[in-house]
Amino acid sequence: MIDKANADRRVAVVTGGSGAIGGAIAARLAPDHTVVVLDRRGDIAVDLGDPVEVRRAADAVLDRYGRCDVLVHAAAKVAFGPFDEFELEVWRQVQAVNVESALLLAQAFVPGMRDRGFGRVIFIVSNSYSSPPGAHMLAYIASKGALIGMARARGRARRRPHRRDGRRPGLTRTPAADVVPAEEFADVSAHQALPRPLTPDDTAAVVAMLAGDDAAALTGQTLTVDGGLVLR
């Protein structure tokens, strides 16, 4: 049954919204959107690595809310390992969560965006794609590159009322980054133009801008919000 009480509000679906960056994005979008979190602990619980569950979750969003106006794919699986020992099954798990779920959700929601004349599809990627820290993050970096390619390819679909962007955050203080040594944070901060560690709110602020009406001319782009670490 569709939630008629919020029928006039735009619906924003945020994958990984129970995490630090996804949670900050969900909180920033909440004043102007009905936010639906998709992950294992979300408003609609889903294993994003399982395509059957992802399709069911998309159907549940449309059944319950009637629409998705903004899709933010913030969920990400990270796996580390030596290049010559990296297991194919682990590689596939990373791609399933990071890339394939984004594709399936976009396929489910973009037709409605097109019909309504408004839509945003925003992928949270990583500046590690442009400046890889090492081959031990191969699967993660490759997945982010795939998302950038997807955004660019769909950005070529002109005269469409929806758009896609890649948001590329730098090294950000989150619980998931607890494994990163303090000296690495210090080194990154020292090389940024912005002399402080990044926070999830830095990413959330740019996503909120992209989700609004004023960002209509941005499509198929990758915006790097990393404090000025990687300059172009």
Side-chain angles (χ1 to χ4, degrees):
M1 178 180 293
I2 295 176
D3 180 4
K4 295 183 179 179
N6 294 308
D8 295 333
R9 287 168 60 86
R10 286 175 176 166
V11 175
V13 173
V14 181
T15 69
S18 298
I21 293 177
I25 291 169
R28 183 63 72 106
L29 294 176
D32 300 312
H33 301 78
T34 297
V35 176
V36 185
V37 171
L38 298 187
D39 56 33
R40 292 183 184 276
R41 297 177 293 160
D43 301 301
I44 297 175
V46 56
D47 175 0
L48 291 167
D50 184 333
V52 174
E53 286 200 28
V54 173
R55 290 189 177 97
R56 287 175 179 168
D59 290 342
V61 169
L62 297 177
D63 288 344
R64 189 178 305 179
Y65 302 95
R67 60 199 292 167
C68 171
D69 302 288
V70 178
L71 170 62
V72 183
H73 183 52
K77 182 178 179 64
V78 182
F80 302 99
F83 172 78
D84 53 353
E85 299 176 10
F86 206 89
E87 296 181 4
L88 183 58
E89 182 58 32
V90 176
W91 169 278
R92 288 171 172 164
Q93 291 171 4
V94 171
Q95 308 314 313
V97 173
N98 297 6
V99 182
E100 293 170 14
S101 67
L103 171 65
L104 294 173
L105 292 172
Q107 287 177 328
F109 298 143
V110 164
M113 296 178 184
R114 184 182 302 121
D115 291 344
R116 290 187 299 275
F118 177 91
R120 300 288 187 266
V121 179
I122 302 168
F123 299 148
I124 306 302
V125 289
S126 172
N127 70 350
S128 64
Y129 176 72
S130 295
S131 182
H136 64 290
M137 294 182 65
L138 176 68
Y140 174 81
I141 294 169
S143 74
K144 296 305 183 178
L147 289 175
I148 292 170
M150 285 170 58
R152 290 178 177 177
R154 285 299 299 141
R156 287 291 187 181
R158 297 178 181 176
R159 296 184 297 277
R160 302 286 187 174
H162 62 278
R163 39 78 73 80
R164 296 190 179 203
D165 298 286
R167 265 284 299 105
R168 187 170 1 201
L171 183 59
T172 304
R173 288 199 182 279
T174 68
D178 286 346
V179 297
V180 178
E183 54 267 25
E184 184 170 340
F185 269 103
D187 180 68
V188 169
S189 296
H191 289 87
Q192 292 175 178
L194 182 67
R196 65 164 175 79
L198 301 175
T199 70
D201 286 332
D202 293 318
T203 297
V206 178
V207 170
M209 179 272 291
L210 292 173
D213 292 317
D214 292 339
L218 274 169
T219 185
Q221 302 298 320
T222 302
L223 305 184
T224 303
V225 182
D226 64 358
L229 180 65
V230 179
L231 300 177
R232 290 172 180 78

